Structure formats: structure tokens, C-alpha cells
Amino acid sequence: KGRAAQMNAGASMAAGEILVFLHADSRLPPEAFSQMEAISSDPSYVAGAFDLGVDSRHPFIRFLCYTSSLRARVSRIPYGDQGIFTTRIYFQSVGGFASIPIMEDVELMKRIKKYNHKIAIIPNKVVSSARRWEEEGILHAWLRNHWVRFRYFLGASPEKLARHYPDTRKPAGTCHD
């Protein structure tokens, strides 16, 4: 089962009215729930996300977080590592995540934007682990991420792009050091 299918299945089983899609190595800011409720009850927005944070003091990573958050504010296309949220009803009405191996978060946000629906970007940060950046090398990870997104926006198939973005998740039941 791909990530999109797993997230769609989770969304269909969730009991709440607001769905939050958050990377396993990320944590929401303390005020997140009240902010998500406020955005979700505002009829001018159909979805939202937060600014990006990474638990690193490295100056380049801090710069990347700043520019990523700025990019999301300008484009109104946040990525999955920003803690995307929407209501269950809206998520179902747009068909959920597309069944693609990578960029399913971006595809959903682009689809929402294509419908001229508004996505809020909350200035508080979702903070993700720096582990992948540190293991792969900051410059390598940054270049790869931009290359994959650039090719996606030019029309490259998500199946081809997935080959350039290794899945580093551990199988269920394994321990992380």
C-alpha cells in the first residue's frame, strides 16, 4: 500500500471533523489545535498548514525553513512537512490524496488552488526532525528535493520521481536510536 492509500484509509477511519496530515517525525506547535479549529470554521479557507521548522541550529537549515515558509505563503501550496489540515467533508469532496507514490501532498494542494479555494498558512512552526538532512547531507537533500519538485512541476511522472527519493522510514516494529 502506498502512502496516499494509507493516508486516505486513515482519513476514512478518523472520528474527528478536522483531518491533520503530519509526518511521523514532526510535532505541532502548542496552539495548533485552536488555530486549526479557527481556520476550519472560517468559511474563506478550506485547508491550512503551518510554517516549516526543523530541529536544527544549522544556519543553512534555518534559512531553508525561512524560505520554505515564505514560498508557501506566496504560492499558497504548502508541503506535507508543514502539517496540512482540512475538514473531513472537504477532503472527501475533492477526492482525498491522489494514488501516486510521491508528491501526493503537493498534488492535493495544487488541486485545491486550481478550484480557487483558499489555503491558510499559520505562522507558527511545525518542527520536524533534522535526522534525514543530517544523514543525507544538507546540501544533497536540498538539491535532491528541489530537483524532484522542479521536475514534478514540469510534468515528470511521480513514479519516475519516486526512484530519486528513497523511503527512509523504518519498517513497523523497529526501534530508532
Side-chain angles (χ1 to χ4, degrees):
K1 240 185 186 185
R3 284 189 312 213
Q6 291 171 342
M7 290 187 293
N8 286 334
S12 72
M13 293 186 297
E17 291 306 311
I18 300 172
L19 303 175
V20 183
F21 300 96
L22 186 68
H23 287 190
D25 68 347
S26 301
R27 59 187 186 279
L28 292 168
E31 313 83 17
F33 294 108
S34 62
Q35 291 171 323
M36 288 186 288
E37 285 177 8
I39 295 297
S40 297
S41 65
D42 182 339
S44 57
Y45 294 105
V46 298
F50 295 86
D51 277 346
L52 176 65
V54 174
D55 64 356
S56 172
R57 293 192 171 275
H58 193 284
F60 190 57
I61 289 180
R62 294 176 73 109
F63 173 74
L64 295 177
C65 290
Y66 172 78
T67 57
S68 292
S69 296
L70 183 62
R71 178 211 38 81
R73 291 183 180 292
V74 171
S75 71
R76 293 291 174 203
I77 298 178
Y79 298 155
D81 54 4
Q82 291 177 255
I84 292 170
F85 63 92
T86 188
T87 64
R88 166 196 310 288
I89 292 168
Y90 186 79
F91 185 73
Q92 291 170 343
S93 77
V94 296
F97 287 107
S99 187
I100 54 179
I102 191 170
M103 306 300 282
E104 67 284 342
D105 52 345
V106 176
E107 188 280 332
L108 176 63
M109 294 295 109
K110 282 177 61 177
R111 195 169 358 124
I112 290 171
K113 196 171 171 191
K114 184 176 113 183
Y115 297 143
N116 286 327
H117 297 164
K118 289 177 69 177
I119 301 164
I121 308 297
I122 298 173
N124 293 13
K125 294 179 181 177
V126 163
V127 178
S128 297
S129 168
R131 177 191 56 84
R132 186 172 188 148
W133 292 91
E134 292 165 351
E135 287 176 0
E136 294 182 356
I138 297 167
L139 186 59
H140 170 77
W142 178 73
L143 288 171
R144 190 246 356 267
N145 291 349
H146 279 289
W147 178 244
V148 167
R149 281 192 297 266
F150 177 70
R151 291 188 54 216
Y152 175 75
F153 281 109
L154 289 179
S157 84
E159 290 73 23
K160 271 188 178 178
L161 295 175
R163 289 185 237 144
H164 300 285
Y165 200 87
D167 186 349
T168 61
R169 294 175 293 174
K170 307 281 189 234
T174 62
C175 295
H176 298 278
D177 292 332

